[in-house]
Amino acid sequence: MRISSRPVGYGGIEQGRGRIRSITIETAVHGRGITQRTGRYTLTAPTFGEHGVHWAPASTDATPVHRPHRLAVAQ
């Protein structure tokens, strides 16, 4: 089985300033005898009074407008 992920967007930074409040990643899973499946998930920072981060499925139309810069993407 092979699992690969890549960032497809982020939220919270406006005009190059601010804090990253969410990151959306696209993950693909495939292997021998397994049809490739993909999905998008958003990791969101806690708001005031909450603890821990939250993972939630993301639809393709809910992807944040901001895209990662080429230099910011880890290879």
Side-chain angles (χ1 to χ4, degrees), residues 46-58:
T47 58
F48 184 75
E50 293 182 347
H51 298 284
V53 295
H54 303 281
W55 283 101

Side-chain angles (χ1 to χ4, degrees), residues 10-14 16-23 45-48 66:
Y10 58 89
I13 294 181
E14 297 173 8
R17 297 185 167 178
R19 268 163 114 163
I20 295 177
R21 297 186 190 274
S22 66
I23 298 172
T47 58
F48 184 75
H66 305 290

Side-chain angles (χ1 to χ4, degrees), residues 20-56:
I20 295 177
R21 297 186 190 274
S22 66
I23 298 172
T24 301
I25 61 169
E26 182 175 76
T27 301
V29 177
H30 63 280
R32 227 179 316 176
I34 300 173
T35 304
Q36 180 172 331
R37 294 180 183 232
T38 60
R40 288 186 178 194
Y41 295 89
T42 301
L43 177 64
T44 306
T47 58
F48 184 75
E50 293 182 347
H51 298 284
V53 295
H54 303 281
W55 283 101

